[in-house]
Structure formats: structure tokens, C-alpha cells
Amino acid sequence: MVDAQQTNPVWSPFFQLIHAGLKELLKADRVTLFLLDREQNILWSIISSTLKAEGIQINIPADQGFAGEAATSKQVIHLPYDCYDDPRAAMIQQTDQKTGYRTYTLLIVPLVNQNGDVIAVVNAINKLKPSAHLDSLLAERVDLAGFTVSDQETIQAIAPIITPFLSSLN
């Protein structure tokens, strides 16, 4: 269950830069950076509501879905093409039916602080072909090889740079 709240002042240029950088580095169609709020037991993120420098906060229970699984287990979740083949993907299929979007590949990486505590989860959806054209259908742009170990290592390499900022948001 996703809960959307009003505009959040955390939608800062640096948060936007991290989000855009992850999307570009991973060649992902979509990236969501969820922050863990242990007190409320939620994973929350800011999504852009307009082209303005603002966003809407979305909340999901910290123990549900793949993002929750990654946060609680501290394990990377990698679903190659076609992620619908994974028996745990029922929630993704339901969400895709509601939104009209199609999830083919998924990479979810928990980010930990210096104490080893999960503070955030990177949720990358649909690895794109290097030569993908934006005007093509999503099914034609998705890289059937999916996300790679190198993509996971990229996230883990930049984690020490971004986690201090992300820790300050909670």
C-alpha cells in the first residue's frame, strides 16, 4: 500500500541530483530512492509531481514488497527479465495493472550507514539498452540482459558518498 502525502521540503536539488545520477549511471527507466524511517516503520521517497523543484512524499510499509525485503534482510534483490516469472512479483503486477506501466527487470540495493544500519534502498526498474531511443516503446528499450553485477557495484561504490546526506533527511 502506497500512501502519498503533501509536498515535502526535502525535495532538494541534491536529492534530485542523486536520483538523476543513479538513473543515468544505471541506465534505468525509473529509479526510486526510498529512505527508511525506523520510528514509523516506513520506507519513504519523494517523487516529482511537476517540473517544479518540489515533490510528493510516498510511504510504503518497511516490511512489504521487494524494497521492504531488501531493507529488512540487508540483501540485494535482483530480478532479471521477466521479473513477473518470480512468484514474489504479484504486488508488482498489481501495481503495473493500476498504473499502466510494465516492470521487466528490477534491482534493489539496500544502503547502509557506518554502523551497518540500513538507511535507504535504491529501487531501479527496467535496465535500458545503451542504444534505446526515447520515442520507442518501453518493451523495445528494455535490455533483456537486465541489471548486472556491475550495476550493483556502482550503487555500492557511490553509497559512502551519498549516505551522509541521506542520513540527515531522517
Side-chain angles (χ1 to χ4, degrees), residues 77-136:
I77 296 174
H78 175 242
L79 298 180
Y81 187 90
D82 181 353
C83 75
Y84 280 10
D85 293 339
D86 189 299
R88 302 170 294 167
M91 194 164 130
I92 291 174
Q93 292 179 44
Q94 291 171 356
T95 302
D96 284 358
Q97 281 182 332
K98 290 177 186 174
T99 64
Y101 186 75
R102 175 59 158 92
T103 303
Y104 294 98
T105 61
L106 190 65
L107 177 65
I108 303 175
V109 179
L111 302 179
V112 297
N113 63 14
Q114 293 175 337
N115 298 328
D117 298 321
V118 173
I119 60 159
V121 175
V122 175
N123 185 51
I125 302 172
N126 291 335
K127 174 78 171 187
L128 300 177
K129 296 174 186 173
S131 60
H133 296 287
L134 292 177
D135 56 345
S136 299

Side-chain angles (χ1 to χ4, degrees), residues 17-28:
L17 182 63
I18 292 171
H19 178 267
L22 286 168
K23 187 175 174 184
E24 179 63 28
L25 285 170
L26 300 173
K27 303 295 185 230

Side-chain angles (χ1 to χ4, degrees), residues 21-40:
L22 286 168
K23 187 175 174 184
E24 179 63 28
L25 285 170
L26 300 173
K27 303 295 185 230
D29 188 51
R30 295 185 178 181
V31 170
T32 305
L33 183 59
F34 286 104
L35 301 166
L36 178 60
D37 182 330
R38 291 186 189 285
E39 289 180 19
Q40 295 186 46

Side-chain angles (χ1 to χ4, degrees), residues 39-169:
E39 289 180 19
Q40 295 186 46
N41 195 36
I42 60 170
L43 289 165
W44 64 274
S45 186
I46 306 298
I47 58 170
S48 178
S49 61
T50 65
L51 295 176
K52 300 176 190 173
E54 62 184 32
I56 296 174
Q57 181 174 325
I58 58 169
N59 300 326
I60 61 171
D63 58 354
Q64 292 184 13
F66 287 115
E69 182 180 332
T72 56
S73 71
K74 295 185 183 181
Q75 298 294 312
V76 172
I77 296 174
H78 175 242
L79 298 180
Y81 187 90
D82 181 353
C83 75
Y84 280 10
D85 293 339
D86 189 299
R88 302 170 294 167
M91 194 164 130
I92 291 174
Q93 292 179 44
Q94 291 171 356
T95 302
D96 284 358
Q97 281 182 332
K98 290 177 186 174
T99 64
Y101 186 75
R102 175 59 158 92
T103 303
Y104 294 98
T105 61
L106 190 65
L107 177 65
I108 303 175
V109 179
L111 302 179
V112 297
N113 63 14
Q114 293 175 337
N115 298 328
D117 298 321
V118 173
I119 60 159
V121 175
V122 175
N123 185 51
I125 302 172
N126 291 335
K127 174 78 171 187
L128 300 177
K129 296 174 186 173
S131 60
H133 296 287
L134 292 177
D135 56 345
S136 299
L137 296 173
L138 178 60
E140 297 168 358
R141 293 184 289 142
V142 170
D143 186 339
L144 299 182
F147 292 99
T148 65
V149 171
S150 178
D151 293 321
Q152 177 183 331
E153 290 169 348
T154 297
I155 294 170
Q156 291 166 330
I158 64 171
I161 299 166
I162 63 174
T163 54
F165 169 73
L166 298 176
S167 293
S168 73
L169 299 178

